[in-house]
Every structure is written in structure tokens, then in C-alpha cells.
Amino acid sequence: MKRLSMFLGLLSLLLVGYLFLWPVPIEPVAWTPSPSTGYAGPHARNSRLAGVTEISVAPEVGPEHITFGRDGRLYTGVLSGAILRMNADGTDRETFVDTGGRPLGMEFDATGRLIVADALKGLLAVDPDGAFRVLADRVGDDPVRYADAVVIASDGRIYLTDASRRHSPAERGTFDAALLDILEHSCTGRVLVYEPSDGRLRLVIGGLCFPNGLALSVDQQSLLIAETGEYRVWKVDVAARDLDAQRIDAAAPPAAARVILDRLPGFPDNLTRDPDGRFWTGLTKPRSAVIDRAADKPWLRRIMLRLPKSLWPVPPSYGHVLAFDEDGKVLLDLQDPEGKVPETSGATAHGGRLYVQSLHGQALGVIDLGQVEP
């Protein structure tokens, strides 16, 4: 009995030592989350997104973002590194190109090239014949670690998010790298601009907690940025001179930057602008009370990552997309509590239909806008 007690005591000591001392891949920073409004007001619970039909991409996984080409066809990147091309109804699907990386945000430029933020390779340009090259993958000598979203201005400038400078999707995978960055909360993300005149990337603004989606205002004077780790969307005057090398800070932001949508009940991901000037975002996951309560307890977040991965604080799937105007007024809020489209990473309006993207699913969701608009 004495030996058993000694063994159990030693085992307990080893377990406590492991939970408090074992190395983890993050250096958590204490922070204060904004109070959650929960599922109330404009985000009141509903099932208006539950009527989506599916466009399968199986056996591929993760149509995280989509765009439409001049040919009227739908393009989307998937986990395997392929960019798929298909008709708007999902028929006649083919692989347009395989980047060998992880294509995320994408948009066609004025010349017909597909500009891609590839999480593993940087900013890519894909020609109509499928040939591609890296436009840029570093700012000076500083590598782009997590290329995530792109949007193209009418003058040819390309805005790009580098979501994390701490956690590489090449090493961790896109989802785990994002989760680690959000749990760490060191806010190293930034927005860059690619200048076609000299082929270089320059800093627009930094200090962001996993900047994800990007969209330009109708007049192209402002850039909207979804800051996933802080549950909010910024509007930044990209013509302002005080932005260069500035950090976003909610307590004292640059004069040209302001939060227009805050206290969201989930993590905002991609941004798109529809023909009516509305902006759409998807909330990939609902907010986690565990993550929020551990915000001021870095030691607790370290312990979380020493637990089996199945016990990490990953919220369940909950379908949720919303539309808002340039001032952040919510115009439509569509939810599917059952999460038919897992991890709703964004929504794109096209041809009277809304296409709902998925971070981990094997299908896109599609619903007629007439079914959900007031």
C-alpha cells in the first residue's frame, strides 16, 4: 500500500510538472476581450441559413474563399493546394491549377490574372492558362509568414494580409497556426500593399490580432479589415499619410482607423463586397467563453495547450454569416445552429445567390438571396 501511495504521489508530481512546465509553442499575452453582445439584437438566434443547398467539392476539402472570373465560372482554393474551377451551379468541375501550397483569398485583376494569397507561398499571380508565379513573399528581408486575404484596387495596387508573423501554416497547418496565434494574442498580423510599379510589398498597418478578410469601400478610399482575434472589423483610410508603419491599437488607433463593427458573437473571417455595396463576412466559429475567461491568464492558456488536442478550447461549428454597410450597421444576419456548412469562413453574393464558404467542409452552401432578404 505504501509503495502504491508513493507511486501515485510521484505520478501526480510528474503530471503537475508537465501541466506547468512542459514547453508549448506560444508565449501568451494578457489581454482584455470586448464584452460579447451574444446572440441578441441584430444577431438574435435564427435558422435563416439552414436552407442552403450544397455544391460538393469532394473529395477535396476546405473551399475557404471563392471568386468569379470573366468566364462566369466559380474559382475556389482547397486544402490540397488545388484551385478548382466550375460552373456557378457546381457542374463541370476541374482543377485550374495546383499551387502546391494552400490558396486562401483570391481575386481577378484587370488583366484576367487570378491573384492569390497562398498561406504557404505568398502572393501569387495565376495566368489564364494556369501558369503561376510568386509576385512577392517578403517585405524587404522580412518573409510573409501567413498570406491570407487579397483585394485589388482599380489602380492595380494589391492589398494583402499577413495574418501572423509568429505561427507558420507551413509548420502547423492553416487552422492550428490561426488557433495558436489567437490563443497567444501577440497581435503581430499586418496589412501589406503590393505596388505593381516596383514589385515590392510595403507595410500599410500592423499590430493586428490575426487580420483575415479585406474589402475596399465603394470609393476605394477605405479598406475594411476583419480582425479575427478581436471579434471586430476596422475601416482604414488607405490614402492617409499617418498609416505607414503604424500599429492598430483600439485604445489609441491612428487617426485614419476606426472600428465599425465590434463585439461580434464569433470570429470574423473573409470579407466581400456585393453589387449593392453591402459587405459580407462569415463567423468561422462562435466566441468561446473559455478563451475569453483565460484572456488575462497566460499561464492557463499554456496549460490548455499541454492537454490532448481534443481538449483544446475549439468552439463547435455554428453556421453564421452577416451583411453590413460601410458604417458597420448590420443589414442581414443569417445563422444555421446545426452548422450544415462547417466553419462558415465567408459569403459571396453573385447572380442573385449567396455562396457560403467553408474552412473544413467538402461543399459550398448556396441559397437564393430572395429567400433571406427582408
Side-chain angles (χ1 to χ4, degrees), residues 51-76:
V52 296
T53 58
E54 294 184 343
I55 291 179
S56 175
V57 299
E60 301 285 5
V61 176
E64 197 266 355
H65 183 72
I66 72 168
T67 192
F68 284 86
R70 294 176 179 176
D71 54 7
R73 306 191 76 190
L74 183 157
Y75 293 73
T76 186

Side-chain angles (χ1 to χ4, degrees), residues 17-369:
Y18 170 78
L19 289 175
F20 282 89
L21 299 175
W22 193 261
V24 293
I26 64 172
E27 292 293 336
V29 175
W31 64 289
T32 303
S34 61
S36 174
T37 58
Y39 292 95
H43 309 300
R45 289 189 184 274
N46 65 77
S47 57
R48 299 168 71 190
L49 194 62
V52 296
T53 58
E54 294 184 343
I55 291 179
S56 175
V57 299
E60 301 285 5
V61 176
E64 197 266 355
H65 183 72
I66 72 168
T67 192
F68 284 86
R70 294 176 179 176
D71 54 7
R73 306 191 76 190
L74 183 157
Y75 293 73
T76 186
V78 289
L79 185 61
S80 68
I83 296 176
L84 306 179
R85 175 169 61 186
M86 65 194 79
N87 292 331
D89 62 1
T91 59
D92 195 23
R93 190 179 83 216
E94 61 184 347
T95 297
F96 172 52
V97 64
D98 189 334
T99 70
R102 180 36 166 137
L104 296 174
M106 57 185 67
E107 185 172 316
F108 282 94
D109 70 10
T111 70
R113 297 182 307 172
L114 183 61
I115 305 301
V116 180
D118 189 300
L120 308 187
K121 297 199 168 187
L123 184 65
L124 310 182
V126 186
D127 294 330
D129 64 0
F132 71 92
R133 65 186 179 94
V134 177
L135 287 179
D137 60 2
R138 59 191 58 246
V139 184
D141 295 327
D142 185 16
V144 172
R145 200 164 178 81
Y146 198 135
D148 196 333
V150 294
V151 68
I152 306 171
S154 57
D155 62 5
R157 286 180 299 166
I158 302 170
Y159 294 96
L160 168 74
T161 59
D162 185 9
S164 173
R165 299 171 69 191
R166 285 272 299 138
H167 301 285
S168 167
E171 299 168 2
R172 304 285 181 182
T174 51
F175 183 75
D176 283 1
L179 178 62
L180 291 173
D181 190 85
I182 289 168
L183 285 175
E184 182 175 81
H185 225 80
S186 53
C187 300
T188 61
R190 55 188 175 175
V191 176
L192 308 169
V193 62
Y194 174 80
E195 300 283 358
S197 59
D198 61 14
R200 294 182 180 178
L201 284 171
R202 292 182 173 84
L203 179 67
V204 175
I205 199 159
L208 291 155
C209 295
F210 209 82
N212 219 320
L214 288 177
L216 281 162
S217 60
V218 174
D219 65 7
Q220 302 208 358
Q221 296 301 300
S222 299
L223 189 66
L224 278 69
I225 307 165
E227 190 181 16
T228 303
E230 290 277 356
Y231 320 113
R232 64 190 177 191
V233 176
W234 288 85
K235 186 176 183 180
V236 176
D237 179 0
V238 291
R241 295 180 180 179
D242 70 335
L243 282 179
D244 188 40
Q246 293 287 320
R247 288 175 57 86
I248 278 206
D249 180 345
R258 64 187 177 97
V259 174
I260 61 168
L261 194 58
D262 199 7
R263 302 182 181 185
L264 289 167
F267 296 90
D269 197 328
N270 294 322
L271 289 177
T272 61
R273 192 184 77 222
D274 72 17
D276 295 324
R278 298 177 298 193
F279 296 88
W280 289 89
T281 190
L283 305 185
T284 52
K285 293 281 192 182
R287 282 180 72 154
S288 165
V290 173
I291 291 176
D292 283 356
R293 288 170 186 161
D296 62 347
K297 303 175 183 67
W299 61 269
L300 182 56
R301 280 178 276 152
R302 289 191 182 94
I303 289 177
M304 288 176 182
L305 291 187
R306 294 179 182 123
L307 298 174
K309 197 171 180 180
S310 61
L311 298 178
W312 287 9
V314 179
S317 289
Y318 185 97
H320 200 167
V321 302
L322 55 98
F324 56 96
D325 66 17
E326 285 194 20
D327 294 318
K329 178 183 178 182
V330 176
L331 305 174
L332 284 170
D333 186 282
L334 314 176
Q335 301 175 31
D336 175 18
E338 300 300 319
K340 185 176 182 181
V341 178
E343 289 86 34
T344 41
S345 56
T348 301
H350 178 82
R353 297 194 288 179
L354 188 69
Y355 292 79
V356 181
Q357 291 99 248
S358 173
L359 189 62
H360 289 139
Q362 290 190 301
L364 295 162
V366 186
I367 193 167
D368 287 340
L369 278 168

